[in-house]
Amino acid sequence: MQSEHPQLFSFEFYPPKTEEGAANLQVVHSKLAALNPDFFSVTFGAGGSTRDKTFDTVVDIQTKGIAAAPHLSCVASTKENIRAILQNYRQHGIAKIVALRGDLPSGMMSAGEFRYANELVEFIRLETGDYFDIHVAAYPEVHPQAKDAQEDFKNFKRKVAAGANAAITQYFYNAEAYFYFVDLCEKNGITIPIVPGIMPITQYSQLFRFSEMCGADIPRWMRKRLESFGDDREAIQEFGLELVSNLCQRLLDGGAPGLHFYTMNQSAPTLAILERLQTKA
Ligand code: FAD
């Protein structure tokens, strides 16, 4: 499997919108930084809606000593915009990037100069050579807008061919989907690390909404269990912790090159999972 790569642990944040959110993120960052992750990544609102906040958050993280990787979505962007963003990151010593298409905000009609993430990866390579370590998104359960699974995989291959160094998956709770995807990559000569994206489970309604939107499958048995806990947050969290820790353990045991946590700007759920993994090790 992918064991020739060192294990990569990374944590994802979104740029805080309020002063309170910014203060919270400082605390969350320092707790997770103590684990010495490979990098922190910071999301980017498609259409550039969080452009400045993503930039400020990334620079703040990088200044504190652990690498920061801004997400960059190209939908509704021009080459000029993207060129300026890349230059700015370079000037600040940011050398990792998560290159995405993004989703057009509703009401925004123009897709801009880039149609798909592979075109963004190509553009980054053209403009900056090998400077950036480029991560792209992967969808073991198939991207929700894909024509079909085979086309989606072909499109993933285009991003790798354009120069991606690694991929982070959409979150999933079916380990088999990940292992199947990794096997497919190997059969197709794709050797970059495919890092599973991990979504801790802390509540119920938001997880379902998110999963509907991004095409992550919540298996029936899991949904039924979560539903049965009603408003009992503690029970949901304990169930989620057990389930997601077991998933992480299975993924690592099966050769996953690391884990990328969608932290939702909270440290406790991710720390609890990692603690359980260590206890079991
Ligand atoms: P693409 O790889 O371009 O794929 C999009 C769709 O188009 C797929 O269905 C694919 O099969 C199809 N496609 C791709 N290339 C071609 C082609 N050449 N011809 C025809 N069809 C093609 N969104 C944000 O807005 N901000 C973020 O910060 C953000 N971070 C994310 C981080 C991760 C790790 C992941 C997994 C997702 C993230 N997203 C983010 C969500 C992401 O932007 C959406 O899933 C979006 O719909 C697809 O982005 P992509 O980069 O995977 O697109």
Side-chain angles (χ1 to χ4, degrees):
M1 297 272 298
Q2 305 192 356
S3 46
E4 74 268 22
H5 298 289
Q7 287 200 332
L8 308 165
F9 287 88
S10 49
F11 301 122
E12 180 171 313
F13 296 144
Y14 57 83
K17 291 194 187 86
T18 61
E19 277 183 24
E20 201 187 345
N24 168 61
L25 190 58
Q26 296 290 336
V27 177
V28 170
H29 170 268
S30 72
K31 287 188 178 164
L32 293 175
L35 302 177
N36 198 22
D38 193 50
F39 64 90
F40 289 101
S41 83
V42 182
T43 63
F44 185 89
S49 56
T50 68
R51 179 180 161 159
D52 293 344
K53 288 198 166 80
T54 298
F55 178 79
D56 294 345
T57 309
V58 158
V59 171
D60 184 48
I61 291 172
Q62 180 93 1
T63 312
K64 289 182 173 133
I66 292 176
H71 294 205
L72 180 57
S73 81
C74 59
V75 71
S77 259
T78 61
K79 291 187 174 167
E80 205 43 52
N81 281 162
I82 299 286
R83 185 176 291 123
I85 293 175
L86 294 174
Q87 272 171 7
N88 214 359
Y89 282 136
R90 245 187 123 152
Q91 277 161 10
H92 286 79
I94 311 284
K96 281 182 191 290
I97 220 154
V98 183
L100 303 146
R101 182 195 71 176
D103 291 310
L104 265 183
S106 56
M108 198 180 263
M109 298 308 283
S110 162
E113 287 186 71
F114 298 90
R115 290 168 311 158
Y116 299 108
N118 67 295
E119 295 170 6
L120 176 62
V121 176
E122 232 167 72
F123 184 74
I124 298 174
R125 287 288 176 237
L126 196 68
E127 292 280 314
T128 63
D130 284 340
Y131 175 78
F132 284 104
D133 182 26
I134 305 178
H135 288 58
V136 292
Y139 300 86
E141 294 183 326
V142 183
H143 185 265
Q145 291 156 5
K147 186 169 152 251
D148 60 43
Q150 291 199 44
E151 281 298 317
D152 202 35
F153 188 70
K154 274 190 203 157
N155 293 328
F156 175 70
K157 283 206 292 192
R158 289 180 212 262
K159 297 195 274 196
V160 179
N165 301 101
I168 301 172
T169 75
Q170 183 56 274
Y171 70 87
F172 56 85
Y173 298 104
N174 296 300
E176 294 316 322
Y178 172 79
F179 290 125
Y180 185 87
F181 187 82
V182 169
D183 279 352
L184 202 55
C185 287
E186 285 178 0
K187 283 180 188 140
N188 282 272
I190 294 175
T191 56
I192 62 168
I194 312 288
V195 180
I198 303 296
M199 179 68 90
I201 298 172
T202 55
Q203 47 61 53
Y204 165 82
S205 49
Q206 198 191 15
L207 179 73
F208 283 103
R209 245 194 352 266
F210 264 25
S211 305
E212 279 284 303
M213 276 185 323
C214 69
D217 183 42
I218 308 280
R220 178 188 152 87
W221 72 272
M222 225 180 112
R223 199 178 67 232
K224 288 284 175 195
R225 295 261 165 238
L226 284 166
E227 274 170 8
S228 75
F229 296 131
D231 292 333
D232 187 347
R233 266 190 96 105
E234 221 173 282
I236 293 174
Q237 286 173 4
E238 186 44 45
F239 173 76
L241 175 58
E242 181 72 19
L243 189 132
V244 178
S245 317
N246 286 342
L247 173 68
C248 292
Q249 192 68 60
R250 244 193 105 193
L251 293 169
L252 293 173
D253 290 348
L259 302 169
H260 176 83
F261 286 87
Y262 297 107
T263 70
M264 308 302 285
N265 291 10
Q266 295 175 46
S267 57
T270 296
L271 286 170
I273 293 167
L274 288 170
E275 204 170 295
R276 245 185 225 201
L277 287 179
Q278 271 174 7
T279 322
K280 282 183 184 169

